[in-house]
Amino acid sequence: MFRRVVLLAAAVLGLSTGFATAQTYPNRPIRMIVPWPPGQATDLAGRLIAQKLSEVLGQPVVAENRAGAGGMIGTDAVAKSAPDGYTLLAASAGPYTINPLLQRTAYDPERDFAPIAMAGISPYVLVTNPAFPATTVQEFVAAIRARPGEYTFGSSGTGASAHLIIEWFNVALRLQAEHIPFQGSAPSLTAVVAGQVTYSIETLASTQALVRAGTLRAYGVSLARGTSLAPGIPAIAQAMNVPEFDVGAWVGVAAPAGTPRPILAALEQAIVRAMDANDARERLSAIGIEPDQRTGEAFADYLRGQSANFRRIIQTANIRLNN
């Protein structure tokens, strides 16, 4: 009986402490760690989120670049930070969802983080050299299927997000082609433009200028619902009846695991309010990111689903890093 009274008292104390914390939060500046160098897409989005969040919370939210190891250094720094709501992560798919599936990381996304909110997602685009003899995604798939193993696809590197997404596309459409890895998306797309590689699937941000210039042909986007950022380019999932092919380069905010739930709730609401502003949505769109707000458990469910899909693709395509 005494033990039950003690436990009840502790629970009540914890709830009251959390409520008091939420009532005073935030009362000092917040750091948002961006695990990428300045100018990268997550950096641009993270800085926008930090700026708009500052306006809503009434406290500075300072973006701090801590790049290295494909985003894993900064991500790990947040995992090891105090769970008090004053250190946040500008999270993205590579270090958060994909890297832990391919290599040993010092953090576990499920164990070490509390997902707060997703702010947006950038669609990927299937592209070839305009000389390729297909004008629709249906014709493209038929051409690749007709000559299994004879065509090539380029990516920004073995195990990179683009590589896994192309493998996902190939598995979904039952295509066989040879992977040619490059050191980054720019040289990969340069090889497609030159006709040295048959096709690639890369972010809208990296392909749209080349498509507009006529040096690449776009066949479809990777988001199953399509995207307003690329009018006239169909969703691959709809055009080819593969609803399971639904993926993009998401960006969001996470906190260290153990951050009090009232603080997480306050941040969820603040991020939604901040990113719902017209200027925030317009600025996201300008860098090739479609606003897409998911909070709390909905965001966590999305991340678990993406992780499960990438794990399946890694196993099916037998993807290994040369460490």
Side-chain angles (χ1 to χ4, degrees):
M1 179 67 179
F2 176 74
R3 181 172 180 274
R4 291 171 63 186
V5 171
V6 171
L7 290 174
L8 179 60
V12 171
L13 178 62
L15 287 173
S16 62
T17 302
F19 179 76
T21 300
Q23 290 294 94
T24 59
Y25 174 86
N27 57 20
R28 55 188 170 88
I30 298 169
R31 286 190 310 160
M32 181 174 289
I33 302 296
V34 179
W36 297 100
Q40 193 264 0
T42 306
D43 172 69
L44 296 175
R47 288 181 180 278
L48 172 60
I49 296 169
Q51 177 197 331
K52 301 305 292 183
L53 200 52
S54 297
E55 297 171 7
V56 171
L57 292 175
Q59 287 286 347
V61 180
V62 182
E64 177 184 317
N65 295 93
R66 197 170 298 188
M72 291 186 288
I73 289 176
T75 302
D76 183 51
V78 176
K80 292 178 169 54
S81 295
D84 56 9
Y86 290 96
T87 302
L88 305 176
L89 173 69
S92 57
Y96 196 101
T97 310
I98 294 175
N99 290 353
L101 300 175
L102 286 166
Q103 57 191 293
R104 187 182 300 278
T105 56
Y107 56 88
D108 180 303
E110 285 268 354
R111 180 194 67 213
D112 296 329
F113 289 100
I116 300 174
M118 180 166 138
I121 191 165
S122 181
Y124 282 73
V125 185
L126 169 64
V127 292
T128 69
N129 181 288
F132 188 78
T135 57
T136 66
V137 65
Q138 293 90 341
E139 291 176 356
F140 170 85
V141 169
I144 302 297
R145 280 181 182 166
R147 297 168 62 181
E150 293 187 29
Y151 290 111
T152 57
F153 66 90
S155 81
S156 52
T158 300
S161 300
H163 177 205
L164 269 64
I165 289 169
I166 301 170
E167 293 285 10
W168 185 347
F169 169 78
N170 290 345
V171 169
L173 275 306
R174 305 185 307 282
L175 304 181
Q176 296 178 36
E178 181 185 356
H179 177 217
I180 309 295
F182 293 85
Q183 292 186 337
S185 59
S188 173
L189 290 174
T190 297
V192 178
V193 169
Q196 298 165 344
V197 172
T198 311
Y199 65 103
S200 187
I201 298 180
E202 267 294 350
T203 61
L204 177 66
S206 63
T207 57
Q208 60 183 347
L210 296 169
V211 171
R212 287 172 182 164
T215 54
L216 284 178
R217 173 181 288 147
Y219 291 97
V221 296
S222 64
L223 298 180
R225 64 175 182 267
T227 175
S228 60
L229 299 179
I233 304 178
I236 294 168
Q238 296 176 26
M240 298 306 303
N241 193 28
V242 283
E244 71 275 14
F245 184 68
D246 183 19
V247 63
W250 61 267
V251 61
V253 181
T259 301
R261 180 60 210 164
I263 289 179
L264 294 176
L267 284 167
E268 287 175 16
Q269 295 170 14
I271 292 169
V272 168
R273 182 179 164 194
M275 302 313 295
D276 218 25
N278 286 336
D279 64 325
R281 299 172 72 86
E282 289 170 1
R283 287 170 63 187
L284 275 181
S285 297
I287 57 176
I289 298 176
E290 182 174 288
D292 188 334
Q293 296 183 2
R294 308 174 198 226
T295 60
E297 196 54 34
F299 184 27
D301 283 343
Y302 173 80
L303 296 179
R304 283 191 286 267
Q306 291 291 294
S307 180
N309 283 324
F310 282 126
R311 182 178 290 108
R312 175 176 57 85
I313 295 305
I314 289 167
Q315 293 171 349
T316 301
N318 193 30
I319 298 171
R320 297 287 184 271
L321 297 183
N322 297 320
N323 294 325

